Amino acid sequence: MTAVQSADSLVPLAVLLPFVGALLIPLFRRRPNLREGVTLLTATALCLAVFGLLGPVLGGARPETQLVAVAPGLLLAFKVEPLGMLFALVASSLWIVNSIYSIGYMRANNEPRQTGFYVCFAVALGSTMGIAFAKNLFTLFLFYELLTLSTYPLVAHKRDAAAIRGGRIYLLLLLGSSLALFLPAILATWVLAGTLDFTPGGILAGKAGAPVIGMLLALYVFGIGKAALMPLHFWLPAAMVAPTPVSALLHAVAVVKAGVFCVLKIAVLIFGVETLSDLGQSAWLSAVAGVTVLGASIIALRQDNLKRRLAYSTVSQLSYIVLGVAILAPISIIGAAMHLVAHAVGKITLFFAAGSIYTASHLTEVSQLDGIGRRMPWTMGAFTIGALGMIGLPPTAGFLGKWFMLTGAIATAHWLAVAIIVFSTLLNAAYFLPIVYRAFFRESAAGEHGGEAPWPIVVALTLTGAATVAMFFLPGLPHALARLTIGM
Amino acid sequence: MTTVLPHLPALQVVIPLLGAVLCALLRRPAPAFGLALAVSWLMPVIAAALLWQVIQGGPISYHMGGWAPPWGIEYRVDLLNGFVLLLVAAVGAAIMPFAWHSVGFEIDEGRRAWFYCMYLLCLAGLLGIAITGDAFNAFVFLEISSLSSYVLIALGRDRRALLASFQYLVMGTIGATFYVIGVGFLYLLTGSLNMVDIAQRLGPAWAEHPRAIVAALAFVSAGVGLKLALFPLHVWLPNAYAHAPSWVTVFLSATATKVAIYLLIRFYFSIFGVAIAFDTLPIAQIVIALSIAAMVIASLIAVFESDVKRMLAYSSVAQIGYITLGIGLANQAGLTGGLVHVFNHAVMKAALFLAIGAVFYRAGTVNLAELSGIGRKMPVTLAVFTIAGFGLVGTPGTAGFISKWYLALGALDQGWWVLVLVIVGSSLIAMVYVGRVLEIAWLREPTPAIARASDPPLPMLLPILLLGAATIYFGIDTQWSAGIAEASAQALLGGLR
């Protein structure tokens, strides 16, 4: 078997592995240690499989495989291109860290229904891999919906009235927007282009005029509710009722990144950057993204609940990526791809810290955090690094993405975008730095009691915190994949 | 074999008919069930053999009693009704094992043998409608299936079943009468009752008596429309489905309306033809308007139903709207979507009604408010309900998505993008009524009333699992569903457009 063939067969393996894990986990429901062992083993195997694909992809190969033709034009097929590779790398490696964290969190908080929790998690990761490696819009859509359905029970995990309500908003908004807007957009694409395959340069060039392309783009960006563009962002704060590991991996990484990943991929590989800029579709998309960036930041300022503040920060940060796409300069798209990774690592750190605080001292509000940094130095140290990443300060990965986007915006004279990025950076600082200040420089009102959370939690957040810094100094891999995305 | 094979078309109907008589003579539940099971399992074998012959060698024409058409009764099997025959027979076979416990629970012992007798009679009638090539013979089978289904519905547990059955009897009789009046007009115009023969003579007759043909078309449409529960002629259906014994609801929802839809398609496309029904007369506009009303209004009513069986019944009216929408579109993609939804909806709705039948068997209620937490008590049953429910919504990976994809393509082919909005809008409403059940079933705490419920015994569970698996299978491999539907649609539209 040649290297290319073995890479081809790795693709379906990578998508299937988490589903196999999901089937195995319930077998060990009476033996929690073995059960979590299965999760860790699956996550590690998945990560290895994804890394196995990295070499061929960097070498210029595009491993692909077709499973079944559902109907004319509807093919269940996978193809690994650089952007998907990047997304899969981030999601699969963070799954390992998040699993370690979950073990600490779920046990320390005595959460019920842990077997179902780990099963849904595995299915969600399998769906994420399906989205990352989808060769066409149909496959993408299939796994997109599966991701929504598999994360719904996780959002409603607590089963109390608030959780059920949060789950309802989550399901109705994500499933509803995808059925009402995303699906018609796919249909229209099929009718216009006669294909649904992701193709470098896009498939819609010359197929329709500016109004139709504009409508279609709108259907896509709003139909992909997971990208959380305003006004379809409500589901994300509502999803914060979930246990923190869910918020951390799914609602800071897998689900929301799947959303912006879809937007990025559709803009580059369905519309094509040139088609979009020729037809002048950048202005309104920048405006929507800009409103979301600023609007969500302003709302975040006013949130006292830590997880909700983080959620609004996510809404805002996601729209940076959409903004990076809307600028339509190659370098800004590289920036968008870089930011996708940087935000993932940084935001998961922040959520890990929030969960760590909750586990150790059951605090959920920002105003309760006076002096917590002295009791939980590791947690708040990692939180600080994550916060710096969100603001976009060196030496964190967050700086790189913003730098590239800013360069792209200046190069193409998108002064509005420049203004949005600069102003929102100030806002980011305004809602993150006070938390850091409180934690380290204010006297604790409750006195000195309690310490760090259980060790798996601390290990996990230290790892991701370190990764945020490491990526600043070693950005080679994401940068290389991001450059390949736009064909450089 | 060589002596049996040519007579398969007759055997397809005669065996259940004789089985019904035998059941009546047996009188005891166990042998009657055994006989019904044997007949039910034999039917798809015959239907598959017929369909295979059609695929290999084209349409089969069987002359009843050796009398040549148009004088004698002809049984005619082509791709379309071969598909319908196999659907009815296969669903009957798949759900039959479920009947033993369910019927045992819901129907008095003295009536169970009669129940199986009526079921076989109904099966014979439905298969007969699908197989016959004679318009009047179709009326006879329509009456056989209808009369037996009135009895089946009336066997429901409480007295409301009697009212529902009577309501259906009145409406069904009006429908059958309208149908036979329409056939009478056609006989006067063409001097024939053979469908192929009528179709050939209708062209010349159109030149002389267009208004009589319009009247015939109107009577047939209204008559068959009643039987297939075309909005607003659906009012009998929710009560009938809600109060009939659980198993009867499964059987009727998956087969009876589907056979009536077949008959309508046969009349529109094979007898009147696209040129008269769609190019000259505004059938398309009328059917599409009614379909939209069904898809939106019936779905909305379903959202507010508290009885899960009634909710699913209104959902059926809406889903039938999808099918008739495909008929109204009358283009390749649209008609394919309609036909494949005949199949897909039968599979999905059978899965849903089976699951809710199992819930009734274990929990003794189908009232949504009393079913909190039932998912934790009956996880397998509710898992299938969930899958089939998302099939109704039309999420990708389920059979329902395939139907909607073709229908939406058909709408776009006509340039009616507003119809796409109606299709997705109806899906969104389905998401609400399905989601409502799922939320209560999975996320709420179990109530004491259902504390002792658990997944049903294996003979009930296997059909549920089979149809649940089929919901996913036919969402991924569509060679036998959409493939045959596409070929049938092509034949129905053949050359006329």
Side-chain angles (χ1 to χ4, degrees), chain B residues 288-370:
Chain B
I288 288 176
L290 296 180
S291 305
I292 292 172
M295 288 158 66
V296 177
I297 298 172
S299 298
L300 281 176
I301 297 174
V303 172
F304 297 100
E305 281 298 335
S306 57
D307 176 312
V308 182
K309 271 175 91 179
R310 272 182 84 85
M311 184 200 89
L312 291 175
Y314 274 107
S315 153
S316 278
V317 176
Q319 300 284 325
I320 288 166
Y322 281 105
I323 299 172
T324 49
L325 178 70
I327 298 174
L329 286 171
N331 60 20
Q332 181 64 39
L335 191 55
T336 303
L339 287 173
V340 77
H341 202 51
V342 168
F343 180 87
N344 289 339
H345 180 245
V347 169
M348 297 185 302
K349 216 22 113 29
L352 286 162
F353 274 124
L354 279 177
I356 213 67
V359 167
F360 185 72
Y361 178 71
R362 282 302 199 203
T365 178
V366 290
N367 196 330
L368 192 53
E370 295 169 63

Side-chain angles (χ1 to χ4, degrees), chain A residues 443-470:
Chain A
E443 282 301 320
S444 172
E448 303 283 325
H449 65 82
E452 279 288 358
W455 66 266
I457 292 181
V458 177
V459 167
L461 60 85
T462 309
L463 278 175
T464 54
T468 307
V469 177

